[in-house]
Each structure stands twice: as structure tokens, then as C-alpha cells.
Amino acid sequence: MQAFDAVVVGAGPAGLNAALYLVRAGFKTALIERNSAGGQVLSTSEIENYLGFPKGVKGYELADLFSAHADAYPVQRLRGDVVSMESTEENGKMHILHMQEGEDIKARAVIIATGAGNRPLGIKEEQMYKGKGVSYCALCDGNFYRGLDVAVVGGGDAALEEALYLSRIVNKVYIIHRREGFRGTQIYLDKIRSMPEKIELVTSCVVDSLDGEPNLKKVVVRHVQSGEKREIAAEGLFVYIGHVPNAQFAPAELERNEQGFLITDQEMQTKIPGIFAAGDIRAKLCRQVCTAVGDGATAASSAIRYLEHLNA
Amino acid sequence: MAIEVNDANFDAMVLKNELPVLVDFWAPWCGPCRAVAPIIDEISKEFEGKVAVCKVNVDEAQAAPSRFGIRAIPTLIMFKDGEVVDQVTGAVAKDNILQMINKAF
């Protein structure tokens, strides 16, 4: 079994930064990722609000920079899926990570930074049209809808940003949002409202059903108050209605909020000594690249303090 | 490593290949494609001589993706004797890809 002082699970901004801080403090640190490093940053077209990039930065470019920074230090990068965790006593608390493939990994401190995935719409046709019209990545799939009409679902920054991105490629974008007002940043709303011929706001509506054969042709929306239905001719439907935490493998004893996000104190400490959480996996208000990076640093600092106490 | 395939050699490399073929339709600017790339490379090593693993960059090859109705990337298609056996879209887990490969045997 491979043993480390600290293991960080998830190589998004939170995990990469946590690993960087731990290894710089001299601890033997592993960073486990099931895919490539970067997390949700990888699928974001343009990031305009990360300090230090006044002209904005492409998501995958920022992800590569983050990853290269961690690689400038001897962080042990491991690829794989953690399926479960348990804590045992071995001259003090030891945490064991069970991997999908290969042998277990153990560490005195674990930082869970596995982030969140896209929240699905939850209607029955969604799975059927995945890859045939329904998408969760405008950057990836926008080009296949060049000159066509598409719809975006959601009212937060992700929905607004990606609607703006799509508006440069497609013929027309409908933004379907279940409320009248938008949570998204004013600067995006102003841009969107300045081009009503290109982007139409369909507010107080939810997606009722999808239609088309074999590919999506029609999105039926339902007004949340009147129940009145409207058909929108759209060949693409981009879903940005929030996130679900990737916390299935985390110990059941950890506290979670109603949505399943992990609850920590302000130092990123969970209820189990030696287990910390950082980034989008945490129950919190603001989920941004900068808050993930900050969580990573805080979690690592807490883990460093914890490890130093163990060794004292 | 996975073999890069384009419109010119798609038929020869994929449809007429004696081995079952896993094709990854991807693009360099696509985050989930990059996310799934290390798994594709791992599979190409693990199944060497048993499954041909090919990558089609949809920026450079447009005919092949449109022929198979690709509207999202990454899309992975499993071919056997020139026929589509199974396909999946998105940065899926390695297990899902292994299940797809099993369907070709």
C-alpha cells in the first residue's frame, strides 16, 4: 500500500493549490485525479473574473497553468477513481482510500477536493438526447450548432456566460429561466439585454419536454404560474442549472447539507480529524475559481498544522 | 498511444480494420475531451493488439463526425467490422468505456 503524509483527491483549482502548499511545506503528498487536471475550469470557455488576467483567460489555458505550477514541485500525481474511504487507528488516525483499480492508498491527512458535476434537468428525455442536442458544455459542442437556434437553461453566471459564448456562433439563443429575475452578474445581463434579436429571455418557464427524431428539434417550456406551454424550435439545449457534489466516496459520517455538499468549519476541517474539504464540494455560497484556490490553501494550511501536531 | 485518424484514412483505419476499433472524436479546445484523454491512452496500451484505439480531431476532420451524426464531444464510438456497436458522449468513467469495449467481443 502506498503511504503519504497527505493525499489530495481531485485536481481542480482547489486540489492543485492544496497539493502545492503541502509539498512546499515538505510533506510527502499525492494528488489523485480520475481525468485530466483542471476540473470545471477545463470546460469553461472564458474566465473573466480571475485576478491577474485582465483580458480574460481560456479555461483550458488556465487549467494547464495551474497543473504546470503543481508539477514544478514533487507532487506525486496519481490517476484513478477513489471509490470509498475509511479511517483506522495505526499509531494515531490513518485514512485509507480504496481505489477503483489497483492498491489502496493511505495517508495521515486527506483533502477532499472532488468538486461538483452538472446538475441534470431531470426530465425523462434528457438522457435520450444527450449527444443529440442536450449538452452541458457550450465550448465543446457549440460549433456543431453553427447557424442554428439553441436554448440555454439557467439563470446564474454559467448560463449567462455560455449564452453569450453561443451567441457568437449560432443564429439565436433562448435563455430559459424558471424565475423572472436573474442571479447572474449584471455585466453579463447588460450584454445580453443589448442584443434582443440574438438572445431571447424566456423567463418564469421550465423545460417541460423535448422532441425530435433522431436529434433534438423542439424544446417545450411550461410557464411556472400559468402552466401555459410554448414550443421553441431549437436543435441544441445547453443545461446550466447548478451542480451536484462529487462526494459519493466520502465517508458517510461526514456532515452534508441538503444538496449533499460537505460541511466544514472555516478552516476546511470536517468532523473527522485529518479529513478536510476544499472547493466546490463544500457547502458554501460562492463557487468560483478564486474561492476554490483559496479553499485549497486554507485546507492545506489546516492539514499542515494537523500533521505537525501529530509529529510533535 | 491512440492513432490519429482523419477523413482520408478513416475508412481504412476504422471501418476496414480487422480489430474492433474505439474512436474518440475530440478537439484540442474541448475540456472534457482533454479530461478523458489520459483514460483513452491508458486503454490503448492495455488493449494493444486486441482493440485499435483511434482519435479523430473534429477541427481537422469534418466528414467522419458528420457521417456519424456527432453533435457533441467527446463522443466515443465502438466499431466492429465497420458497424457501430455502441457509443457514449461526455467525459465518462473508464468503466463505461470498458463496458463498451466488451460489447465488441
Side-chain angles (χ1 to χ4, degrees), chain A residues 65-137:
Chain A
L65 287 169
F66 284 165
S67 187
H69 200 156
D71 278 339
Y73 295 90
V75 176
Q76 174 96 40
R77 307 283 289 258
L78 303 173
R79 206 200 69 70
D81 241 318
V82 180
V83 288
S84 63
M85 281 176 68
E86 63 180 310
S87 302
T88 59
E89 291 295 325
E90 188 183 314
N91 305 321
K93 227 176 218 342
M94 183 65 84
H95 306 290
I96 316 281
L97 284 77
H98 301 296
M99 307 298 293
Q100 175 110 54
E101 286 177 66
E103 59 176 22
D104 293 348
I105 295 168
K106 66 178 182 180
R108 293 281 177 203
V110 175
I111 296 179
I112 300 173
T114 39
N118 298 303
R119 179 177 294 282
L121 274 176
I123 60 170
K124 63 178 192 298
E125 302 92 332
E126 186 171 8
Q127 199 56 34
M128 193 173 101
Y129 284 109
K130 213 171 154 187
K132 294 178 175 166
V134 172
S135 170
Y136 307 88
C137 181

Side-chain angles (χ1 to χ4, degrees), chain A residues 34-36 42-43 60 64 79 81 100-101 130-133 137 139-141 143-145 148 215-216 235, chain B residues 28-32 34-39 42 46 58 65 69-73 89 91-95:
Chain A
R34 61 176 171 185
N35 294 323
S36 285
L42 267 181
S43 333
Y60 66 85
D64 284 352
R79 206 200 69 70
D81 241 318
Q100 175 110 54
E101 286 177 66
K130 213 171 154 187
K132 294 178 175 166
C137 181
L139 175 69
C140 310
D141 306 335
N143 262 311
F144 295 105
Y145 299 89
L148 303 175
N215 294 323
L216 180 69
E235 303 201 26
Chain B
W29 35 263
C30 153
R34 294 160 67 105
V36 83
I39 301 176
E42 215 170 88
E46 286 169 19
V58 301
I70 306 286
R71 297 180 96 188
I73 49 172
T89 295
V92 295
K94 189 175 176 184
D95 250 18

